[in-house]
Amino acid sequence: MKAYFINAKDEFVVEIDCKGYEHKQELLNCRMLELYPYQLNGNDIWTDEEGNLKQWNYFFELDGKYMVSGNAIVLSCDDEGECADVKDLTIEELKSKVKFLGKRYIEQNGMGFSIREYQ
C-alpha cells in the first residue's frame, strides 16, 4: 500500500510500498510499533514505541510543534481499522511539515525523559 517514509537519520521523505506489520517493523528498525498521537490530514503516523528509551536517537518535528523520535511511516486507515493507502496528503505537503532536528540525547529521569542537543 502507498505510504510515506520519514527517515530522521538521513533526513529525507519518500513514497514507499508498505507491505504490512513486519515490513513496518523492518523499515523502522524496531521491535514494537506505536501510533503517534497526532494525525496528518486523517493519516496515521507509525513510529518505534521504544524510540525514546534509547540513549540517543534522530528526531524530526511535525508542524513546528510535535517532536518525533526516530523514523516514521505515514498511512491511512480503512473502515475496518486496517492500514490503507495514504489519503488527502501529498508528499510535498508532508515535506513542508517536517523539520529534521538531527541526533539528540535522551535523558531518562524515572518520571519521563528530556531531549537535549547531541555534542
Side-chain angles (χ1 to χ4, degrees):
M1 69 199 88
K2 175 184 168 184
Y4 298 139
F5 178 65
I6 303 170
N7 185 313
K9 179 181 178 185
D10 297 319
E11 299 187 354
F12 66 84
V13 179
V14 65
E15 183 178 318
I16 60 168
D17 179 23
C18 190
K19 296 175 177 41
Y21 189 86
E22 290 81 16
H23 191 221
K24 284 189 214 105
Q25 287 177 304
E26 181 181 327
L27 288 166
L28 297 177
N29 191 27
C30 69
R31 295 180 316 124
M32 300 173 68
L33 294 172
E34 173 178 48
L35 277 176
Y36 193 77
Y38 172 71
Q39 288 197 335
L40 289 168
N41 296 13
N43 294 287
D44 295 322
I45 303 167
W46 291 87
T47 62
D48 176 0
E49 184 173 328
E50 300 172 321
N52 288 327
L53 300 178
K54 301 173 181 179
Q55 185 177 16
W56 56 268
N57 207 344
Y58 293 89
F59 285 79
F60 66 92
E61 196 174 68
L62 280 169
D63 285 337
K65 52 188 166 191
Y66 302 100
M67 190 179 289
V68 180
S69 175
N71 298 334
I73 299 170
V74 180
L75 287 160
S76 70
C77 185
D78 65 18
D79 293 338
E80 286 80 40
E82 298 295 323
C83 288
D85 290 344
V86 172
K87 64 180 178 188
D88 302 324
L89 180 69
T90 67
I91 196 160
E92 291 79 19
E93 289 172 319
L94 177 58
K95 286 179 180 180
S96 74
K97 295 174 181 290
V98 173
K99 177 183 175 189
F100 295 104
L101 302 174
K103 190 175 186 177
R104 304 286 172 130
Y105 281 114
I106 304 168
E107 296 178 346
Q108 311 291 328
N109 66 13
M111 298 291 288
F113 59 91
S114 61
I115 311 294
R116 65 180 172 86
E117 209 169 320
Y118 189 89
Q119 298 178 17

